[in-house]
Amino acid sequence: MKPANSVLSGYGTTIFEVMSRLAVDCGAINLGQGFPDEDGPEDLRRIAADALMDGPNQYPSMMGLPTLRQAVAEHNKRFYGLDVDWQTEVMVTSGATEALSNAIFGLVEPGDEVVLVEPLYDCYLPMVERAGGVAVRVRVTPPEWALDKAALEAAFSDKTKLVILNSPMNPAAKVFSRDELSVIAELVERFDCYALCDEVYEHLVFEGATHIPLMTLPGMRQRCIRIGSAGKSFSLTGWKVGYITAAPNLLGAIAKAHQFTTFTTPPNLQIAVAAGLRLGDDYFDHLSGDLQEKRDFLADGLAGLGFGVVGCQGTYFLTVDCTAFLRDGEDDVAFCKRITTEIGVAAVPVSAFYGSDAPTHFIRFCFCKKRSVLEAALEKLAVLNS
Ligand code: PMP
Ligand code: GLN
């Protein structure tokens, strides 16, 4: 048999799938892969169900249904003061993952450099490499996950086409500050490149932190591609509805990739997500407030057990230092497997979010679960101290 594509065949199965499968096989509580254990608003699910029955269920236009594109534009204005033309600056995709893929394949040429901040979401590196891009990685390091400005500057060059910024950031749970964003904006302008802004956790931000889209900074409106996900904003991760906001010339290039990838997204889900983006502020406040309580409950519990809990400003995730519990020669991957199979609680090793030379003593727990589930997980983990 002739070989498969060499870039992709070099990667194993994604850690989220690996840990979820293991959790199912062992009947473990799954605090690994990031998904809520309660579905989002019933009203939205009802709208999707009715639209499915009423139809039409045929191909929507490739840029997305007008009602959803208009809702994305309104949402940009309402939350961030951005004036967006829904007809030329918004496109609907089948999940944020497709949006990322479209942007990378639509913009990156072989040999272009792409700056990535580690720890990084798992699909960035394979997509960049598959597009022929050269990944240039810089790191933020726990517990502060502070951005080293000099290291970031050194990562940019005349060959830089894109920087990928994930804020709020998975798995670091860091929300980039205005100061940090200003540094990035200055580099994007100086090196005449673009910023691919993965903002899927935009509404999952906790007290004391504010999500600022890079696109709102001076000079950035024409250079940023802003990506959102209904999965995260409405606790419906299986729907896979995403949306891109970008200046017309960038969106046009990105749409070239979309038209040859999925082309479109199920119409009933688009109608329901449009209604979701138009929900009142109380919905979005409640979403983050509820999640913050879960974060605090799990963080206190894990700290009580002896994990080194790292701060969490947003997302679904808590990163913890598990050094206290590692056996001789055991790394984060082996530890996650052990607690899944032997203790019955799954987590994700943070080393999976690095291209190479990863730290191997941090693991990630997902806290968007019912209180009773978090309680049960903590009870099980208590055995680590016996
Ligand atoms: N970006 C980040 C940072 C994520 O954590 C995820 C996980 N859901 C995605 C993108 C993918 O979003 P979607 O499910 O909408 O494709
Ligand atoms: N974003 C989710 C996480 O970080 C996983 C999504 C997926 O499995 N592709 O856990």
Side-chain angles (χ1 to χ4, degrees):
M1 213 173 91
K2 289 188 175 165
N5 176 266
S6 58
V7 173
L8 295 183
S9 54
Y11 285 91
T13 303
T14 157
I15 192 68
F16 308 123
E17 178 70 14
V18 169
M19 294 313 301
S20 280
R21 264 192 231 163
L22 192 62
V24 170
D25 289 350
C26 304
I29 297 174
N30 191 354
L31 304 188
Q33 190 178 29
F35 61 91
D37 61 357
E38 291 176 295
D39 280 349
E42 190 176 337
D43 294 358
L44 300 189
R45 288 183 279 135
R46 180 61 53 203
I47 292 170
D50 288 348
L52 183 87
M53 293 317 293
D54 295 346
N57 286 285
Q58 310 309 326
Y59 295 132
S61 86
M62 81 172 226
M63 298 304 283
L65 290 181
T67 185
L68 178 50
R69 294 161 70 201
Q70 286 158 359
V72 171
E74 289 161 20
H75 173 271
N76 273 304
K77 178 75 179 171
R78 170 175 157 203
F79 286 97
Y80 311 116
L82 286 165
D83 284 307
V84 170
D85 174 13
W86 70 270
Q87 285 181 295
T88 58
E89 299 188 306
V90 177
M91 184 171 81
V92 177
T93 58
S94 292
T97 310
E98 199 228 336
L100 289 160
S101 158
N102 294 161
I104 291 167
F105 287 103
L107 296 173
V108 174
E109 282 267 89
D112 283 347
E113 290 181 1
V114 179
V115 176
L116 300 164
V117 185
E118 263 178 340
L120 39 85
Y121 183 58
D122 77 331
C123 70
Y124 299 165
L125 201 53
M127 284 180 182
V128 167
E129 290 177 345
R130 184 67 186 89
V134 178
V136 183
R137 294 175 280 132
V138 284
R139 278 188 183 193
V140 290
T141 310
E144 299 302 329
W145 305 108
L147 187 65
D148 178 337
K149 293 172 187 163
L152 184 70
E153 183 171 11
F156 280 73
S157 83
D158 291 340
K159 289 191 185 153
T160 307
K161 173 69 70 71
L162 267 186
V163 52
I164 303 184
L165 178 68
N166 176 211
S167 182
M169 187 180 190
N170 178 8
K174 168 190 175 72
V175 177
F176 282 72
S177 67
R178 187 174 287 282
D179 270 3
E180 291 171 320
L181 295 172
S182 301
V183 171
I184 298 169
E186 191 276 317
L187 291 168
V188 167
E189 276 213 297
R190 189 178 350 144
F191 289 91
D192 188 21
C193 59
Y194 307 112
L196 178 52
C197 302
D198 178 345
E199 301 180 15
V200 299
Y201 298 104
E202 62 187 321
H203 288 297
L204 312 184
V205 172
F206 310 128
E207 244 165 50
T210 309
H211 172 60
I212 306 170
L214 183 64
M215 185 179 258
T216 60
L217 269 70
M220 287 299 101
R221 180 67 178 78
Q222 306 302 316
R223 292 183 183 274
C224 288
I225 300 120
R226 197 175 100 73
I227 294 177
S229 167
K232 305 299 168 340
S233 292
F234 305 109
S235 307
L236 296 161
T237 60
W239 279 20
K240 300 295 287 188
V241 179
Y243 20 89
I244 305 184
T245 304
N249 60 330
L250 285 175
L251 193 67
I254 294 166
K256 294 283 168 64
H258 169 69
Q259 67 185 352
F260 298 132
T261 309
T262 60
F263 180 77
T264 192
T265 300
N268 64 316
L269 301 183
Q270 294 197 46
I271 290 167
V273 170
L277 289 171
R278 293 182 172 120
L279 287 172
D281 291 352
D282 52 334
Y283 166 76
F284 294 97
D285 292 345
H286 183 261
L287 179 70
S288 56
D290 182 50
L291 211 50
Q292 180 169 320
E293 283 175 22
K294 293 176 178 192
R295 173 200 68 174
D296 292 344
F297 180 72
L298 187 65
D300 289 350
L302 290 172
L305 293 178
F307 285 100
V309 178
V310 178
C312 167
Q313 299 176 297
T315 78
Y316 288 152
F317 308 115
L318 266 180
T319 291
V320 300
D321 184 330
C322 57
T323 309
F325 301 110
L326 291 179
R327 290 177 179 159
D328 269 357
E330 193 175 46
D331 63 8
D332 59 340
V333 177
F335 181 69
C336 284
K337 291 196 171 148
R338 172 159 68 93
I339 61 174
T340 308
T341 55
E342 293 179 19
I343 297 177
V345 180
V348 164
V350 168
S351 61
F353 296 82
Y354 289 79
S356 59
D357 308 319
T360 54
H361 56 289
F362 291 101
I363 64 172
R364 189 195 82 174
F365 286 105
C366 173
F367 53 78
C368 53
K369 307 290 174 185
K370 290 194 266 296
R371 171 79 163 231
S372 57
V373 172
L374 298 177
E375 261 164 18
L378 287 168
E379 262 170 43
K380 283 174 181 276
L381 289 168
V383 76
L384 286 165
N385 286 318
S386 61

